[in-house]
Amino acid sequence: MAGDYTVVTASYVNVQVSSSLTSFGAEKRFQKDITIGELKGKLELITGCVSTLMDLELYNAEGKFLGPLDNDAALLGSYPVEDGMRIHVINKDGNRVLGEFEDVSKVEKFEISKEAYEKRADSVRAFKMKHKMGQFKEVSPEEQAILDKEKAEKAKEEERLVSAITIDSRCEVSVPNAPQQKRGTVKYVGKTEFKPGYWVGVQYDEPLGKNDGSVQGKRYFTCPDKYGGFVKPQYVTVGDFPEEDLGLDEM
C-alpha cells in the first residue's frame, strides 16, 4: 500500500522525461507523494507508452544510472529523486517503435480555404482584427507617412544596387546569419512574382541553393536543381570571384 512508504525529500520535483519511443525529452514537475503507478499514468500521456507496458529508470543530472523505479505501490519521493534528474521510460510494447510519434507524414493535415478561414470567428486572424494587432493595427497619418517614406527609400536603394549588377557577372553572396558565403554567377536581376521588390537570381557553384531558377511555377532562369537561389541585392557583391577549387578531381 502507498501508506507503507514515506516521502523523504521535497514535496515537488522537476525532472527531465525521456522515452525509448521518442528522440526528444521534456521537463516536468511531479508531486513526490504520488505512487509510481500513478506516475506511469501521467507519463503515458507524455510519452505515448502504455502505462502497463513501461519500465522506469532513474538517472542523475550527469547521466549516471541510479536504478529502476520498479515498485508501483511506492511513492515517487521514497526514491532518491531530485531536481534535474531524468526519468527514462522504456516501452515494452512490441507494436510501438522509436520515432513513430515524430513522423508527421502520417498525420492527416487539416486544410481550409482562404474564404472559409476569413469567415471564422475563432481564428487567429479574427483575434488580431478584433484587437487591431499586426496587419490590422491602426496607424496614424503621421506614422503612415513615415512608413511610406521608408518604403520608398528602400525601393530606391534597391533600384540603385541592381543597376550595378549585370547578368553573367561573377558574384559572392553573403546573407546575415548564413553559415557561409556562396559564390556563383548572376542569372537574373529584377522584380519577381513571389515577393515584392528587386531580387537577384544566382546560379551557385555548388548545390547550395533552393531551386532550379523557378519559384512557384514561374521560371526566371535555368540551372541544375539546388544550384539556384534568389537574394536581395544588398547581399550580393559583384567582382572577380573565380570558382573555388573543391578538390573534386583529386583521387
Side-chain angles (χ1 to χ4, degrees):
M1 298 291 294
D4 297 330
Y5 302 90
T6 58
V7 176
V8 297
T9 51
S11 299
Y12 291 87
V13 63
N14 295 300
V15 297
Q16 296 292 324
V17 175
S18 60
S19 164
S20 61
L21 279 185
T22 59
S23 59
F24 56 86
E27 183 176 351
K28 296 296 177 180
R29 187 169 186 253
F30 297 112
Q31 291 178 259
K32 289 286 193 68
D33 60 357
I34 63 172
T35 67
I36 297 302
E38 292 170 331
L39 175 65
K40 286 182 177 180
K42 295 179 181 293
L43 293 174
E44 179 174 335
L45 299 176
I46 297 170
T47 66
C49 298
V50 178
S51 60
T52 56
L53 295 173
M54 69 168 66
D55 286 334
L56 305 183
E57 294 180 341
L58 181 64
Y59 293 82
N60 66 14
E62 288 71 41
K64 180 181 178 181
F65 176 62
L66 300 181
L69 305 179
D70 52 2
N71 189 335
D72 285 356
L75 298 180
L76 174 61
S78 66
Y79 289 91
V81 57
E82 300 293 343
D83 286 347
M85 291 186 176
R86 177 168 61 93
I87 295 176
H88 182 62
V89 180
I90 300 175
N91 170 58
K92 298 192 294 181
D93 184 352
N95 295 319
R96 298 283 181 84
V97 296
L98 174 65
E100 68 173 277
F101 298 118
E102 303 171 39
D103 186 359
V104 295
S105 65
K106 298 180 180 179
V107 179
E108 184 177 353
K109 296 178 176 60
F110 173 74
E111 296 183 354
I112 184 173
S113 68
K114 181 180 179 182
E115 292 75 15
Y117 178 72
E118 290 178 349
K119 292 179 180 179
R120 295 190 60 155
D122 59 348
S123 67
V124 174
R125 182 179 185 277
F127 179 84
K128 288 184 175 181
M129 286 183 64
K130 180 179 179 180
H131 296 280
K132 295 180 171 54
M133 299 169 60
Q135 68 184 93
F136 305 106
K137 179 181 178 181
E138 291 185 351
V139 179
S140 68
E142 294 78 11
E143 292 175 322
Q144 188 61 52
I146 294 175
L147 293 174
D148 291 342
K149 181 180 179 180
E150 292 176 347
K151 184 178 180 180
E153 290 177 347
K154 182 179 179 181
K156 186 176 181 180
E157 175 62 12
E158 283 192 352
E159 189 172 359
R160 183 189 69 80
L161 291 172
V162 298
S163 67
I165 302 175
T166 57
I167 303 297
D168 292 330
S169 297
R170 290 290 298 168
C171 68
E172 190 169 71
V173 175
S174 180
V175 179
N177 301 320
Q180 66 184 102
Q181 293 178 326
K182 297 181 284 189
R183 290 185 179 181
T185 302
V186 176
K187 292 296 183 181
Y188 177 84
V189 180
K191 294 187 176 181
T192 66
E193 294 182 3
F194 57 84
K195 277 189 178 181
Y198 288 92
W199 293 82
V200 180
V202 179
Q203 177 177 334
Y204 295 116
D205 297 338
E206 305 172 70
L208 301 173
K210 297 183 178 180
N211 53 61
D212 63 352
S214 65
V215 177
Q216 298 176 359
K218 171 73 173 180
R219 181 162 297 282
Y220 298 92
F221 64 93
T222 301
C223 70
D225 191 28
K226 301 302 181 183
Y227 278 78
F230 288 85
V231 291
K232 299 301 287 182
Q234 59 265 37
Y235 304 135
V236 179
T237 301
V238 173
D240 183 17
F241 296 108
E243 290 191 38
E244 296 177 315
D245 183 5
L246 304 178
L248 299 180
D249 296 329
E250 296 180 1
M251 299 297 293

